[in-house]
Amino acid sequence: MKILVSGGTGYIGSHTCVELLNKGYDVVAFDNLYNSKIDVVDRVEKITGKKLIFYKADMLDKESMRPIFEEHKFDAVIHFAALKAVGESVQKPLAYYKNNISGSLNLCELMNEYGCKRIIFSSSATVYGAPKTVPITEDFPLSTTNPYGSTKLMLERIFSDFCVPDPEWSVVLLRYFNPIGAHESGLLGESPNGIPNNLMPYIAQVAAGKLECLGVFGNDYDTPDGTGVRDYIHVVDLAKGHVNAVEKVTSSTGVNIYNLGTGIGYSVLDIVKAFEAANGIKIPYVIKPRRAGDIAICYANPGKAKRELGWEAKYDLERMCKDSWNFTKKSLGLE
Ligand code: NAD
Ligand code: WQD
């Protein structure tokens, strides 16, 4: 089976290429390299000992993607490519709607034209807005609070609408919770440009001495220690979930939606303590005001993915903290 991976050199896409290649799939990836680097292709090949066919192409330039479809016939597309910074999306809504929505429509037009009607889409727990209760199941009400989240919700609806007039379409929507960690080799991971917005990359840069101190955004939430609670999931577990989703998308039609999370909520201070214990490095922190748009608590009920995909997360928080630090150390040349 041959799978096309959009955004294949990105953080989650690259780990997914590894898992697909390890399972014997033929994998073709493309990316415009806006938020990733070409050397990821060599790294994926080094880890797997297999060939990753790569094209530099931009979803906004439909013709740049056409050769990919001319040269290969795909059984399914896993669609990661997107802009993903929540804060930036508030400042640059047009860029987010254009890239994520128009780009995806270009991709889908080519899929239709070349007869590939199966898509696995990277959605996000952000589509649940501020959930009234936890754990969150897939049938919870949906809402968004920023343009990034809106692109995810709109695309969920757009892909679902494809299935209405055309019974051949198969759509799997995967709602990721908070991916962290890195490949155990230290060759793949997340290296954000500039000062990280997300918790784990920030902590790793404090550990590396690149940043002085973590700001904890609020300690007055209605949570056990007052800091925000999230469902952190190892990126390799998340990547493996896509292999199960490929089996689903190729063996069914219509729309199937799954949460990919662990079902466990950890607070910001839990993460700080776990990182310190796993890696033997002190993380200085100060309490800061709440960050605009943050919610108190968010974690998944991952039962549907277990029942229907046969997938569940395996890696614990200690492993997530070790692998995040291992990658950061190696990528900064600290060992
Ligand atoms: P990433 O930025 O590492 O990967 C996305 C890749 O898409 C990048 O390599 C980027 O260069 C590429 N890309 C962007 N626009 C493109 C375009 N027009 N044409 C071609 N390539 C383009 O992000 P990630 O963390 O790997 O996220 C992958 C997907 O998962 C995204 O859709 C993201 O919204 C979604 N997601 C991520 C998280 C998270 O916390 N990382 C959580 C939920 C959902
Ligand atoms: C986690 C917790 C912060 C940084 C984001 C997106 C979401 C999804 C995943 C794509 C919160 C706290 C953080 C810091 C802190 N992405 N924090 N100090 O906000 O849950 O989710 O990434 O779809 O859409 O919104 O993740 O890692 O930014 O924050 O105290 O310097 O850590 O307040 O409680 P978040 P995060």
Side-chain angles (χ1 to χ4, degrees):
M1 277 219 209
K2 195 178 269 191
I3 310 297
L4 176 63
V5 178
S6 84
T9 43
Y11 174 46
I12 307 170
S14 58
H15 287 86
T16 300
C17 288
V18 166
E19 297 306 321
L20 289 168
L21 290 167
N22 281 342
K23 284 278 180 189
Y25 288 95
D26 292 326
V27 184
V28 177
F30 79 90
D31 202 292
N32 66 356
L33 301 176
Y34 173 79
N35 197 35
S36 55
K37 297 204 170 67
I38 186 71
D39 64 1
V40 166
V41 176
D42 290 340
R43 290 165 183 239
V44 169
E45 291 183 342
K46 194 171 169 195
I47 290 168
T48 59
K50 306 230 170 100
K51 174 82 189 149
L52 174 65
I53 300 171
F54 177 77
Y55 291 79
K56 182 168 186 235
D58 191 326
M59 293 192 299
L60 288 178
D61 175 3
K62 188 170 156 189
E63 293 314 307
S64 76
M65 293 187 284
R66 188 175 295 280
I68 310 173
F69 286 87
E70 282 288 331
E71 288 158 28
H72 305 273
K73 181 150 181 54
F74 298 109
D75 294 284
V77 173
I78 308 183
H79 179 30
F80 292 103
L83 297 176
K84 65 157 183 176
V86 172
E88 185 185 62
S89 80
V90 176
Q91 299 310 317
K92 298 181 182 170
L94 186 53
Y96 271 69
Y97 287 114
K98 179 150 191 189
N99 191 72
N100 295 2
I101 307 278
S102 302
S104 298
L105 295 180
N106 284 336
L107 175 63
C108 290
E109 281 177 355
L110 287 171
M111 289 175 66
N112 253 331
E113 205 179 313
Y114 289 86
C116 174
K117 297 182 178 180
R118 296 174 182 144
I119 191 165
I120 296 168
F121 174 57
S122 299
S123 189
S124 166
T126 195
V127 299
Y128 295 115
K132 286 212 171 71
T133 57
V134 280
I136 299 168
T137 50
E138 288 81 356
D139 54 1
F140 269 37
L142 305 176
S143 68
T144 59
T145 53
N146 56 72
Y148 165 75
S150 300
T151 68
K152 292 291 165 194
L153 189 50
M154 287 176 191
L155 286 168
E156 284 200 358
R157 291 187 174 144
I158 289 169
F159 298 137
S160 301
D161 285 344
F162 293 169
C163 302
V164 176
D166 186 343
E168 283 179 13
W169 265 93
S170 178
V171 172
V172 170
L173 307 175
L174 299 178
R175 295 179 180 151
Y176 313 153
F177 283 68
N178 288 56
I180 58 172
H183 193 266
E184 62 177 350
S185 62
L187 291 172
L188 301 175
E190 187 174 27
S191 16
N193 297 324
I195 297 177
N197 296 308
N198 297 114
L199 181 62
M200 185 54 87
Y202 201 106
I203 290 177
Q205 293 207 10
V206 172
K210 278 192 78 180
L211 296 167
E212 238 170 64
C213 177
L214 171 71
V216 173
F217 299 142
N219 67 349
D220 57 352
Y221 286 107
D222 186 13
T223 61
D225 66 16
T227 66
V229 167
R230 298 289 184 276
D231 185 336
Y232 297 92
I233 174 169
H234 197 295
V235 66
V236 172
D237 272 330
L238 191 62
K240 289 182 172 164
H242 292 74
V243 178
N244 297 56
V246 166
E247 287 163 16
K248 182 75 188 176
V249 86
T250 52
S251 63
S252 61
T253 54
V255 186
N256 287 285
I257 308 175
Y258 301 99
N259 286 338
L260 295 185
T262 64
I264 304 169
Y266 288 110
S267 74
V268 177
L269 296 182
D270 289 335
I271 301 295
V272 170
K273 282 181 213 140
F275 188 97
E276 290 181 337
N279 299 311
I281 303 171
K282 191 95 198 117
I283 304 297
Y285 67 85
V286 289
I287 305 296
K288 292 214 173 140
R290 291 182 180 194
R291 182 172 66 180
D294 271 357
I295 55 174
I297 182 160
C298 172
Y299 60 89
N301 176 336
K304 190 177 177 211
K306 186 173 181 189
R307 285 192 305 277
E308 295 187 15
L309 300 180
W311 170 90
E312 66 183 324
K314 296 261 160 49
Y315 292 110
D316 65 11
L317 183 57
E318 183 187 9
R319 181 67 189 270
M320 298 185 218
C321 291
K322 280 199 163 128
D323 287 343
S324 292
W325 176 229
N326 180 47
F327 171 75
T328 304
K329 260 190 312 195
K330 284 206 165 72
S331 63
L332 294 175
L334 299 178
E335 64 160 41

